[in-house]
Amino acid sequence: MSYTPSEIEAKWQKQWEEEQAFEPSDSHTHPKKYILSMFPFPSGRLHMGHVRNYAIGDALARYYRKQQFNVLHPIGWDAFGMPAENAAIKHGRHPKDWTYSNIDYMRKELNTLGLSFSKTREFATCDPLYTKHEQKFIIEMFEKGLLYRESTTVNWCESCHTVLANEQVEEGCCWRCDNPVELKEMPGYYLDIIRYADELLEDLAQLEGKWPSQVITMQRNWIGKSQGLAFDFELTEESKAKFGGKFDRYEVFTTRPDTIYGVTYSALAPEHPITKYLVEHNLLEDEVAQKIKAIANMSEVERAKQDKEGYPLGISVIHPLTGEQIPVWTANFVLASYGGGAVMAVPAHDERDFEFATTYNLPIKRVIEGGEALPYTGNGTLIDSGRFSCVENDEAKTAIINYMEEEGKGKGTTNYKLRNWGVSRQRYWGAPIPFVHCEDCGLVPEKFENLPVALPDDVEITGEGNPLENHPTWKQCKCPKCGGEALRETDTLDTFVQSSWYQFRYATNPKKWEEVGIDKADADYWLGVDQYIGGIEHAILHLLYARFFTKVLRDLGYHDVDEPFERLLTQGMVLKDGAKMSKSKGNTVDPDALVAKYGADTARLFILFAAPPQKELEWNDSAVDGAFRFIKKLYDRKSKVAGSTLPDIDHSALGKESKLARVKVYEALQKSTEVYEKSFAFNTLIAACMEALNALDKQDDGDVWTEGMYIMLNLLEPIIPHVATELSETLFARENFGGKIEVKEEVFVQESILYVVMIGGKKRTQIEVDPSASEEEILALAKEAGQKWLQGMQIVKEIVVPNKLVNLAVKPS
RNA sequence: GCCUCGGUGGUGGAACUGGUAGACACGUCAGACUCAAAAUCUGAUGGGCUUUGCCCGUGCCGGUUCGAUUCCGGCCCGAGGUACCA
């Protein structure tokens, strides 16, 4: 019978479904593996990136299940978000309806791929039951002071009509729609991720070697910890007078306290309170005030593109160490959002300060020796630095901080680039932020027993404004505290909040889902995720937020896990014609069509064979044919199998070709452990199996065939589960799936060993050597075989690499 | 600019801690089967040459070594991240 994937795949998918074959055991004592591919957004259809993601995860889940581990391999839906609302605007469909029907369709698509997901743990993050527990966490975070509401300057995307977190701004544009982001002052909810910045940074060390190094580096840079000195510049008496007592000093931060004697001016952000005061109280020339306002209206990205620009503010400060008067400027390169929006400027040793000083003819004072030209930002000895002259600048950093602290003039301080996570979105299709605004009580969390604060179904989604805000009655409510009239918060949570804790939700036994968000015993047993698989685009966003949430939930007592994802694999993109597959480019390959034509096994085999999982994968239609051919051939060779169990084979009695076939089979077996547990180079394992099958084909020993198929089907089951299970069932009653198969070392023992003979570093010939031969004997054989290249040569060195080669270094005699 | 990763045949990619570069597959070419085609099978396939064999060859230049795709130094190119963070 020839290979008919449609029949075989339907048969096994049905059987797995009936057997509930992939449900984890409730036991907490059995060794476990938690294999997780990032859950999909229910966009409507699966794409090849999904297929790749789940093929990798499924291979690992199936491998560990076969090694008798208790395996959790769940799937769910990251179901809130803008596209659902966009669909509502475009096609008039309700986001809920759009989302859940997409889920139904995509679930079917996943089923046809034969993925071994737990069915009982599936959920969508828009399920009210999920929202209920999430809202409880949010309230608990509020009570711990981790969540707060504040009005500040935010990133605003006009096209999405919502606020964006810092992490969601890419090169000044919205991560979702690519519109330029504007700055806007408005109230919002923030999670104090900076409180965890140090732990998030330090714990990266335990992920070393288990996460891709570039992801670790990206997170480290994003957190951006820097240590330095914070100190106050006191205004001169004359300057103080201008502010009517409102300001007499301001704080600056520097990572280069060693250059403090080189300060020749100070610069404030246009948004700095002092700058603002001067502008608003008409203490500057009209023209200057206008220019400052113009800068303030520019986004940070726009400013970065401009030349250095600034204006003197007509005030001065006193240098804390020299007592000199220092002029104060406002400048477009000083960021309001970092280090207090004020800097000390040292043009001699800072590129920006230098550029600015050159533009405006401000003095430049060198205080560190080294380099010829200024600015010089390297190390060296301090000069012209009072009591610190002649000190190396590295030492001077701490010495100056210590001195400033002793004198009560400043203190050592840590700053982070990381900003607190703004989690409120002015959108409908999200989890409502469970707070109420009461005139008497202020901001009040909803009572736990009233959760979830559910979304109203009857909304009008037009794309104009926030549908919850516009709803006629939804926001009218009673204050949970005083019972008076109050207004419900209409902002919803960022969707990244849902994906920050879903790994704990899967781990929680579904029987407890109603009652608890996370079950502690379940979480402590299953987490961290042993292998997490997903796209590198989440290197900062999702992976940082999920790490943060894990630590917060730990501190709220929900579990004892420090890091959610023990090991991380970032898969490469699927490309066609050198570009990322996308509808707009018209270069997509539809997974459904592929499965219909070749079957799921071929799709999975091709995807894992075409490239190592970390790399980009270039689509190739004829290589898909090749994958199909291999499966067909494998299926066809079932007729060669002579027995129904692993045979005992007398290796020495076999012919040369059969011996070689066994070597190839056992080499593949040996390789499999490393591939499934460490390198994930499925392409090399598949290649090893192809070599084994090619070698088996060159001989005709029934037992060798039996052994070969027995082993190969075991190795390939995680990759091509349907056909491997079908063949194993008919040939071996699936006995070959019973556990780890032992490597028979005697197969690798050779009667003679091939040595390459190199002369002068070049491969010349080869010799067959008895395994028991001594080094002298090997060398003698090599010299004899290489005689013609040794003519007129003198051997200067002899190297024998055991079981590999002989190298004779020569020179003309 | 800075950080990270990468650069191997016509293509995707192999090569363990330095030890026969190009496994496996795709493509191409030739052949077998066929009236023909498809499917299948067999063989060849890094480049060059004066082809029993020799020379060159893993982005470029240099170094260490008996021996370098692998280690070191300098450069070129590509991808990703980040971007006035004081």
Side-chain angles (χ1 to χ4, degrees):
Chain A
M1 231 179 53
S2 67
Y3 171 54
T4 46
S6 56
E7 278 172 36
I8 294 172
E9 293 181 1
K11 170 184 160 186
W12 287 103
Q13 282 163 18
K14 187 164 164 257
Q15 184 155 338
W16 291 331
E17 177 90 46
E18 285 166 5
E19 286 172 357
Q20 298 213 3
F22 310 121
E23 297 308 322
S25 141
D26 289 347
S27 152
H28 283 182
T29 51
H30 199 79
K32 63 89 188 180
K33 289 288 175 186
Y34 185 177
I35 307 296
L36 184 61
S37 291
M38 288 180 185
F39 65 168
F41 177 78
S43 56
R45 294 180 79 88
L46 241 43
H47 55 69
M48 277 305 164
H50 290 127
V51 179
R52 192 176 197 193
N53 195 198
Y54 302 124
I56 296 165
D58 199 51
L60 300 178
R62 285 176 177 274
Y63 171 78
Y64 282 116
R65 220 175 268 123
K66 211 138 40 67
Q67 310 296 321
Q68 317 300 319
F69 282 89
N70 188 16
V71 173
L72 176 57
H73 184 225
I75 185 76
W77 308 93
D78 188 13
F80 274 135
M82 281 295 294
E85 277 181 75
N86 292 340
I89 296 160
K90 244 186 167 170
H91 309 296
R93 286 184 70 185
H94 194 282
K96 190 178 190 174
D97 168 53
W98 182 85
T99 302
Y100 281 101
S101 64
N102 282 350
I103 288 175
D104 286 339
Y105 186 81
M106 290 171 76
R107 186 189 295 113
K108 279 188 204 132
E109 291 186 291
L110 287 175
N111 275 336
T112 65
L113 287 167
L115 301 167
S116 65
F117 290 126
S118 158
K119 307 269 176 192
T120 59
R121 293 178 188 235
E122 183 189 322
F123 61 83
T125 56
C126 59
D127 295 343
L129 195 51
Y130 194 79
T131 301
K132 173 176 133 176
H133 297 295
E134 185 167 295
Q135 287 174 337
K136 182 163 179 256
F137 300 151
I138 289 295
I139 291 168
E140 288 171 339
M141 290 177 194
F142 173 75
E143 283 163 352
K144 267 196 116 182
L146 271 169
L147 178 96
Y148 60 94
R149 187 167 190 265
E150 181 183 73
S151 187
T152 56
T153 314
V154 296
N155 306 303
W156 175 263
C157 174
E158 186 54 36
S159 116
C160 293
H161 270 276
T162 191
V163 168
L164 299 173
N166 244 349
E167 288 78 5
Q168 291 163 337
V169 180
E170 294 172 349
E171 289 177 17
C173 296
C174 172
W175 70 297
R176 186 132 249 175
C177 69
D178 223 23
N179 242 47
V181 168
E182 303 163 29
L183 292 180
K184 197 168 168 176
E185 170 102 15
M186 63 185 295
Y189 294 81
Y190 292 84
L191 280 170
D192 191 359
I193 190 169
I194 292 176
R195 205 189 287 184
Y196 284 82
D198 261 322
E199 196 190 340
L200 287 167
L201 190 66
E202 276 162 26
D203 285 356
L204 286 173
Q206 24 172 310
L207 302 175
E208 214 83 56
K210 303 180 195 170
W211 279 34
S213 59
Q214 57 167 328
V215 175
I216 294 176
T217 312
M218 279 162 71
Q219 290 215 354
R220 201 167 271 144
N221 292 342
W222 189 263
I223 295 167
K225 181 178 182 170
S226 55
Q227 278 163 314
L229 169 73
F231 67 92
D232 281 353
F233 269 130
E234 190 180 347
L235 296 169
T236 58
E237 292 307 317
E238 198 184 329
S239 301
K240 280 181 194 170
K242 290 198 179 179
F243 298 102
K246 188 135 193 272
F247 298 106
D248 63 353
R249 58 187 59 241
Y250 61 86
E251 193 183 70
V252 296
F253 172 74
T254 179
T255 54
R256 293 296 305 272
D258 51 322
T259 64
I260 194 166
Y261 285 88
V263 172
T264 58
Y265 63 99
S266 170
L268 304 179
E271 294 89 345
H272 193 280
I274 289 180
T275 320
K276 270 193 184 165
Y277 186 97
L278 292 167
V279 171
E280 282 160 17
H281 292 76
N282 301 318
L283 294 165
L284 299 169
E285 282 173 36
D286 272 358
E287 202 187 332
V288 170
Q290 289 311 318
K291 298 250 178 161
I292 293 173
K293 280 185 195 163
I295 298 171
N297 283 332
M298 264 185 237
S299 69
E300 286 188 3
V301 183
E302 273 178 275
R303 285 184 221 180
K305 288 179 194 148
Q306 309 287 315
D307 287 334
K308 296 277 177 292
E309 184 186 339
Y311 301 93
L313 292 174
I315 54 174
S316 301
V317 289
I318 300 159
H319 192 291
L321 294 177
T322 65
E324 284 170 313
Q325 290 203 9
I326 308 284
V328 180
W329 288 59
T330 183
N332 65 346
F333 69 91
V334 181
L335 300 176
S337 49
Y338 184 83
V343 298
M344 67 174 211
V346 185
H349 305 292
D350 181 281
E351 280 170 26
R352 294 151 304 179
D353 298 346
F354 182 84
E355 201 183 324
F356 191 82
T358 316
T359 309
Y360 294 103
N361 273 319
L362 292 161
I364 297 169
K365 181 188 172 196
R366 180 192 266 270
V367 289
I368 292 178
E369 285 183 324
E372 279 167 25
L374 290 176
Y376 172 68
T377 55
N379 290 326
T381 310
L382 266 58
I383 50 170
D384 276 338
S385 295
R387 57 161 67 208
F388 299 99
S389 296
C390 302
V391 178
E392 286 305 308
N393 75 313
D394 265 352
E395 289 167 51
K397 277 182 189 168
T398 34
I400 291 174
I401 291 174
N402 289 343
Y403 179 73
M404 295 285 279
E405 284 182 348
E406 279 161 28
E407 297 286 305
K409 288 179 170 173
K411 61 177 195 303
T413 309
T414 304
N415 256 308
Y416 301 93
K417 288 186 198 176
L418 184 70
R419 312 284 159 81
N420 277 341
W421 177 14
V423 290
S424 41
R425 298 292 178 271
Q426 291 65 39
R427 304 302 318 167
Y428 165 72
W429 194 233
I433 298 179
F435 292 95
V436 158
H437 301 275
C438 169
E439 253 182 48
D440 295 328
C441 313
L443 188 66
V444 184
E446 188 50 86
K447 291 180 186 165
F448 286 159
E449 63 260 36
N450 292 340
L451 299 182
V453 174
L455 291 170
D457 284 335
D458 56 331
V459 279
E460 242 189 287
I461 295 168
T462 57
E464 295 295 312
N466 180 350
L468 289 180
E469 182 75 44
N470 298 341
H471 190 280
T473 56
W474 185 77
K475 62 182 171 185
Q476 320 292 338
C477 67
K478 300 277 181 243
C479 170
K481 204 164 167 189
C482 69
E485 293 297 323
L487 286 179
R488 212 171 265 302
E489 174 58 59
T490 56
D491 281 359
T492 51
L493 289 167
D494 185 359
T495 56
F496 281 97
V497 172
Q498 285 91 62
S499 52
S500 291
W501 67 282
Y502 80 119
Q503 67 278 12
F504 288 102
R505 187 60 168 171
Y506 286 137
T508 298
N509 192 315
K511 288 171 200 146
K512 304 172 195 158
W513 277 6
E514 182 68 45
E515 178 196 337
V516 294
I518 296 170
D519 180 83
K520 186 164 187 300
D522 287 344
D524 288 344
Y525 170 69
W526 283 112
L527 275 286
V529 171
D530 293 273
Q531 187 63 53
Y532 196 36
I533 305 130
I536 191 144
E537 65 272 20
H538 293 107
I540 296 171
L541 284 161
H542 161 59
L543 289 169
L544 186 65
Y545 294 148
R547 293 183 60 225
F548 165 60
F549 245 69
T550 298
K551 292 170 194 303
V552 170
L553 292 172
R554 175 200 62 198
D555 293 345
L556 289 172
Y558 283 96
H559 59 76
D560 293 327
V561 179
D562 292 325
E563 284 292 334
F565 311 119
E566 191 68 22
R567 297 220 284 167
L568 173 68
L569 170 68
T570 48
Q571 75 188 72
M573 284 191 303
V574 182
L575 309 179
K576 192 164 185 223
D577 310 321
K580 185 180 178 175
M581 281 190 186
S582 76
K583 276 184 220 153
S584 58
K585 290 197 200 84
N587 63 346
T588 55
V589 176
D590 179 31
D592 289 354
L594 185 73
V595 171
K597 186 170 175 196
Y598 295 99
D601 285 337
T602 296
R604 297 170 57 139
L605 181 67
F606 167 73
I607 270 193
L608 294 179
F609 181 56
Q614 298 87 341
K615 273 192 77 163
E616 291 182 333
L617 184 155
E618 177 67 34
W619 197 263
N620 180 337
D621 286 325
S622 48
V624 176
D625 273 324
F628 184 68
R629 270 202 294 274
F630 171 72
I631 298 178
K632 255 197 313 197
K633 187 166 155 185
L634 184 75
Y635 187 83
D636 177 66
R637 298 304 187 269
K638 69 180 172 180
S639 60
K640 301 279 189 182
V641 172
S644 62
T645 187
L646 200 60
D648 269 328
I649 296 173
D650 177 5
H651 193 68
S652 60
L654 294 174
K656 201 175 165 194
E657 300 296 346
S658 297
K659 282 181 179 166
L660 185 66
R662 291 192 82 200
V663 169
K664 291 288 181 192
V665 167
Y666 279 100
E667 275 175 359
L669 176 60
Q670 245 176 352
K671 188 162 206 95
S672 68
T673 309
E674 189 224 319
V675 166
Y676 283 118
E677 296 182 15
K678 214 173 131 207
S679 73
F680 311 124
F682 302 107
N683 54 329
T684 63
L685 175 62
I686 294 164
C689 288
M690 288 173 169
E691 281 188 68
L693 190 59
N694 291 344
L696 283 166
D697 250 342
K698 292 204 166 72
Q699 58 88 51
D700 210 24
D701 186 286
D703 281 346
V704 172
W705 265 109
T706 306
E707 179 189 55
M709 290 293 276
Y710 189 99
I711 293 172
M712 271 198 299
L713 292 173
N714 172 290
L715 302 185
L716 290 170
E717 183 269 343
I719 297 167
I720 46 172
H722 308 89
V723 69
T725 307
E726 171 72 14
L727 290 175
S728 296
E729 173 78 5
T730 48
L731 297 172
F732 309 114
R734 280 194 269 175
E735 181 200 286
N736 57 332
F737 288 178
K740 224 175 183 116
I741 300 171
E742 294 285 317
V743 174
K744 290 189 176 153
E745 295 294 341
E746 76 261 23
V747 166
F748 298 115
V749 177
Q750 293 173 335
E751 285 137 31
S752 68
I753 298 165
L754 203 65
Y755 274 77
V756 166
V757 178
M758 297 174 81
I759 291 163
K762 283 181 177 150
K763 181 192 162 192
R764 290 305 183 191
T765 183
Q766 38 195 359
I767 50 174
E768 289 218 10
V769 178
D770 189 274
S772 63
S774 69
E775 209 171 296
E776 288 73 34
E777 288 168 321
I778 296 169
L779 278 169
L781 279 169
K783 283 177 198 164
E784 195 192 323
Q787 220 168 21
K788 77 185 248 205
W789 294 277
L790 293 169
Q791 299 276 320
M793 290 289 172
Q794 185 189 345
I795 299 176
V796 288
K797 196 161 183 181
E798 298 169 340
I799 292 110
V800 178
V801 182
N803 301 323
K804 287 253 159 71
L805 56 80
V806 176
N807 191 5
L808 303 173
V810 291
K811 66 173 187 191
S813 53

